[in-house]
Amino acid sequence: MAPALAPMDVEERLSRLRAVMSEAGAQAPVDTLVVTNLTNIRYLTGFTGSAAVLVAAPDATSLITDGRYAEQASTQVRAAGAEVTVEIVPGPEQHRRLMALLGGTRRVGLEAESITWAQARRLAERPAETVATAGLVEGLRLVKDRGEVARIAAAAAIVDSALAEVGPMIAPGITEADLAAELDHRIRLGGAERTSFETIVASGPNSALPHARPGGRRLEPGDLVVIDVGAIVDGYCSDMTRTFGIGELPGRSVELYRAVERAQRAGLAAVRAGVAASAVDAACRQSLEADGLAEWFTHGTGHGVGLDIHEAPRVAAGADATLAAGSVVTVEPGVYLAGHGGVRIEDTVVVTDDGCEPLTHSSKAAVS
């Protein structure tokens, strides 16, 4: 992690969670929340291990993990400034300890989207009421603090640099797989923990597949090449897509690129606090509709980015979220013509009161 990154305000997250637990929106309020989603545990405590349960009670919070993480858990929780008691409990005894912590609780909330059926049934053996919850912690994660934005920006900057370094290699003869491997290597050399998802390099007809995996196809003159790539810095992801042209492109390919470029500008112009996420999607689709291409835009316009590469809010038709200042989202319209090729252009941006600020800055002038 780069030393210049702004600190994150982890300490107050549990207080915000308890306030949400007492209201719980349309859900029943809960006295204690059992957090089983590891990303949510990291957000609330700073702990990055692969096995843990967090018990957020009204007046205390306990992190249960096993002996593999004894030193790591204490160190990370202390560094984050979270008021959490770390309990090291052997795996076979963890359920008993969890039940003891829940002993005086009247209503226990479980994270419905991450807890297993077996875990839920065992916890339901208690006489107290068990309540399924959804999105309590994820709702807190919607708005990023300054430190979170700094980490996403750092991850994006590493990708910008890596893509610039491999730019001369985007030429006839190299395979998709070799180009992806070189880009991934440069991202790691640039200081990222790893890529935030499997890098997409899709050329020629493969570029018409939105989530194509890089393979042995060699780039050829006249190809459209879609490169979708991200990095992780201190747990936070970035996401960016650029489309390149190899040599002189057919006129139809240039038309597709310009249409997607216009659509993305329309989507970015629609982003601001207080705007429905679906309105950003609509702006992109209306632009493509004007160019007669809307039916070949086959996915949503974007998604939230943070500790997960895909998180709330959804930016798509039918999405019910309203954008908030401090949210980080992507805007990524695309058009995909089977047998010909595809174009996608994506930026990660921070929502502001009067628009948005891009975190991804690679050139979009790769098609002439």
Side-chain angles (χ1 to χ4, degrees):
M1 183 180 69
L5 295 178
M8 295 184 291
D9 193 359
V10 177
E11 185 176 358
E12 53 83 42
R13 292 174 183 172
L14 284 166
S15 296
R16 291 168 54 208
L17 175 61
R18 288 191 176 93
V20 172
M21 287 162 53
S22 67
E23 301 169 358
Q27 307 170 47
V30 296
D31 304 308
T32 297
L33 181 67
V34 177
V35 183
T36 46
N37 180 305
L38 289 172
T39 305
N40 288 343
I41 290 173
R42 177 173 187 162
Y43 177 78
L44 294 169
T45 70
F47 176 62
T48 65
S50 64
V53 175
L54 187 72
V55 180
D59 55 358
T61 303
S62 296
L63 176 71
I64 302 173
T65 187
D66 60 64
R68 295 172 297 168
Y69 298 112
E71 183 175 350
Q72 176 183 332
S74 297
T75 299
Q76 290 182 325
V77 168
R78 185 168 56 251
E83 293 187 6
V84 173
T85 299
V86 175
E87 300 198 21
I88 305 303
V89 183
E93 300 175 19
Q94 287 186 1
H95 179 70
R96 186 183 308 118
R97 179 55 186 154
L98 177 57
M99 296 293 271
L101 288 171
L102 298 176
T105 303
R106 183 174 59 89
R107 183 180 287 116
V108 177
L110 307 180
E111 292 189 304
E113 295 179 352
S114 64
I115 196 166
T116 69
W117 175 255
Q119 288 174 313
R121 289 195 65 181
R122 292 182 74 189
L123 289 171
E125 294 171 0
R126 299 175 60 258
E129 183 179 2
T130 302
V131 179
T133 69
L136 296 188
V137 182
E138 289 85 351
L140 303 180
R141 290 167 51 192
L142 277 169
V143 174
K144 273 60 179 177
D145 64 32
R146 191 166 62 97
E148 291 179 286
V149 172
R151 283 154 178 77
I152 300 169
I158 288 171
V159 173
D160 285 334
S161 296
L163 189 57
E165 290 171 6
V166 304
M169 300 174 63
I170 306 173
I174 192 171
T175 68
E176 297 168 343
D178 285 347
L179 184 55
E182 186 63 30
L183 188 53
D184 292 352
H185 178 60
R186 301 296 178 98
I187 286 171
R188 292 295 297 268
L189 288 178
E193 297 167 26
R194 59 185 184 278
T195 58
S196 49
F197 52 90
E198 183 180 3
T199 298
I200 295 172
V201 176
S203 63
N206 292 340
S207 64
L209 305 173
H211 274 193
R213 302 182 70 177
R217 186 184 185 278
R218 296 185 183 277
L219 276 57
E220 299 176 359
D223 278 352
L224 289 165
V225 182
V226 174
I227 297 180
D228 190 345
V229 60
I232 297 178
V233 169
D234 197 21
Y236 283 83
C237 302
S238 71
D239 196 359
M240 180 179 71
T241 307
R242 294 292 184 263
T243 300
F244 297 84
I246 306 300
E248 185 174 348
L249 296 181
R252 182 56 167 159
S253 294
V254 175
E255 291 172 3
L256 292 180
Y257 189 90
R258 297 300 175 219
V260 174
E261 196 175 37
R262 285 190 290 272
Q264 205 228 8
R265 283 199 298 266
L268 290 171
V271 174
R272 63 177 42 81
V275 167
S278 60
V280 178
D281 182 88
C284 291
R285 294 187 191 280
Q286 289 165 7
S287 178
L288 290 171
E289 182 71 41
D291 286 312
L293 294 169
E295 68 179 287
W296 291 285
F297 178 20
T298 55
H299 53 75
T301 288
H303 53 85
V305 177
L307 285 169
D308 288 323
I309 187 60
H310 290 95
E311 60 181 48
R314 289 176 56 244
V315 182
D320 58 4
T322 299
L323 298 181
S327 288
V328 177
V329 299
T330 66
V331 178
E332 49 178 305
V335 169
Y336 312 93
L337 301 184
H340 178 84
V343 175
R344 182 165 68 253
I345 304 173
E346 173 188 24
D347 285 299
T348 299
V349 302
V350 184
V351 180
T352 65
D353 288 328
D354 55 2
C356 65
E357 296 177 2
L359 299 179
T360 44
H361 298 285
S362 291
S363 172
K364 302 174 190 175
V367 171
S368 58

